[in-house]
Amino acid sequence: MNEGSLFAVENLGFAYGETKVLHDISCQLYPGCFYGVVGPNGCGKTTLVDLLCGCKQPATGDIRLRGRALANFGKRELARQLALVPQEFDIGFDFTVEEMVMMGRHPHIGRFQAPTAADWDKAWAAMVSLGIETLADRPLASLSGGQKQRAIVARALAQDTPALFFDEATASLDIHHALRIFNIARRLARQGRMVLAVIHDLNLAAAFCDHLLVMKDGRLFAQGEADTVLTADVIEEVFETQAEVVWDAFSDALRISYRYFDAI
Ligand SMILES: Nc1ncnc2c1ncn2[C@@H]1O[C@H](COP(=O)(O)OP(=O)(O)OP(=O)(O)O)[C@@H](O)[C@H]1O
Ligand SMILES: [Mg+2]
């Protein structure tokens, strides 16, 4: 394991039945860094995130968290280390927003104990940071898609873990709320958390992430800072789309523009 890394992934492979979908993935994830995972539909991003969060077991290779095999962590113990905003969520019961967000505190609350004032504070701070405190008493089932997604993100923030995983957590959000979440994620990374987000919008990935993992066909195709890995050649090879990459003064970030018409 490299010194100081939170996650160490070595030669990771995974298959659904006979179909191999991840091959030979090795990487280190450090505290204080905001990672972006980009790649085409079906290339294995969600599978990788699920493996890192202990929701699936590797077929081959090894994942270590703080030097210890991920499989050796108990469920509650792991929930104090990492929080996941999944790409798809199925809310079985009719919880309110507040109940949902408080679930993020459960790994920290003893089995026969009630939430403390500090637990409520953390849940409320998470709701306020996402602008959903006025929805606290609403049943989740009554919310819009984007409001529901913000409640799930708030639950992960309330969990207050050293590692945070977002699998397309901003997919159904308007630009204001997407930027709000990306800024929160960036701030958490600056404060020493490890944040890893699967992102389809390459402009947002380039602007916010310190380090990008570019995936293709279940493999790590490239990794590094956005300006070194998100070149027009890489974008064309990975996404089969013609792009131009320039520095943009207004957004103070790379700007990727695409050839829209008659190119695909
Ligand atoms: N439960 C499953 N059973 C069989 N195959 C699966 C299952 N889940 C995913 N796959 C396949 O594994 C591959 C990787 O899927 P994964 O969900 O990791 O992709 P992804 O990169 O997250 O895609 P997207 O951008 O569409 O979310 C795909 O080919 C997919 O069809
Ligand atoms: Mg996915």
Side-chain angles (χ1 to χ4, degrees):
M1 184 181 105
N2 285 21
E3 202 60 39
S5 74
L6 191 61
F7 284 83
V9 178
E10 256 179 64
N11 306 115
L12 184 66
F14 186 81
Y16 291 102
E18 297 291 295
T19 314
K20 286 189 179 160
V21 297
L22 285 186
H23 315 266
D24 212 19
I25 298 214
S26 297
C27 60
Q28 308 279 334
L29 303 176
Y30 289 88
C33 193
F34 187 176
Y35 296 88
V37 179
V38 301
N41 290 141
C43 73
K45 303 178 299 296
T46 294
T47 306
L48 175 63
V49 167
D50 285 352
L51 284 160
L52 287 168
C53 292
C55 308
K56 290 184 168 68
Q57 302 311 315
T60 55
D62 191 36
I63 304 175
R64 287 179 176 270
L65 169 55
R66 301 187 190 282
R68 195 174 135 201
L70 196 65
N72 291 344
F73 281 77
K75 214 174 160 196
R76 266 172 73 81
E77 191 184 13
L78 201 56
R80 288 194 291 264
Q81 293 294 325
L82 61 89
L84 165 66
V85 178
Q87 182 173 10
E88 282 172 355
F89 40 87
D90 180 23
I91 302 154
F93 298 92
D94 213 3
F95 294 114
T96 66
V97 169
E98 186 183 66
E99 285 165 345
M100 179 70 177
V101 176
M102 267 309 273
M103 276 179 214
R105 299 304 306 155
H106 283 182
H108 303 278
I109 300 171
R111 203 175 284 272
F112 300 108
Q113 281 167 352
T116 62
D119 290 315
W120 287 107
D121 284 351
K122 283 191 173 158
W124 270 88
M127 285 193 278
V128 169
S129 72
L130 293 170
I132 53 169
E133 73 279 15
T134 55
L135 306 174
D137 294 330
R138 292 266 300 273
L140 281 162
S142 76
L143 301 184
S144 75
Q147 290 169 335
K148 226 178 277 176
Q149 193 154 30
R150 281 151 61 200
I152 307 289
V153 173
R155 178 183 66 175
L157 296 183
Q159 213 171 316
D160 194 18
T161 48
L164 266 165
F165 292 88
F166 295 123
D167 192 353
E168 297 188 39
T170 56
S172 43
L173 299 189
D174 64 67
I175 186 66
H176 170 85
H177 287 104
L179 292 179
R180 203 156 160 167
I181 288 179
F182 277 107
N183 277 294
I184 290 170
R186 197 163 94 115
R187 222 170 293 134
L188 288 170
R190 294 289 166 274
Q191 290 165 5
R193 316 288 178 100
M194 191 292 296
V195 184
L196 182 145
V198 174
I199 305 165
H200 275 304
D201 185 326
L202 298 183
N203 282 295
L204 289 175
F208 282 94
C209 297
D210 303 305
H211 190 98
L212 294 181
L213 305 168
V214 183
M215 290 182 67
K216 188 187 180 205
D217 298 332
R219 295 178 193 279
L220 214 45
F221 183 87
Q223 62 167 313
E225 288 179 26
D227 55 354
T228 61
V229 294
L230 275 192
T231 62
D233 286 345
V234 167
I235 293 168
E236 173 137 31
E237 185 152 358
V238 173
F239 294 98
E240 298 175 62
T241 298
Q242 290 178 44
E244 184 185 70
V245 184
V246 294
W247 184 262
D248 179 54
F250 182 76
S251 52
D252 195 20
L254 287 186
R255 185 180 67 217
I256 297 116
S257 23
Y258 305 100
R259 194 180 294 287
Y260 288 149
F261 304 112
D262 304 322
I264 293 175

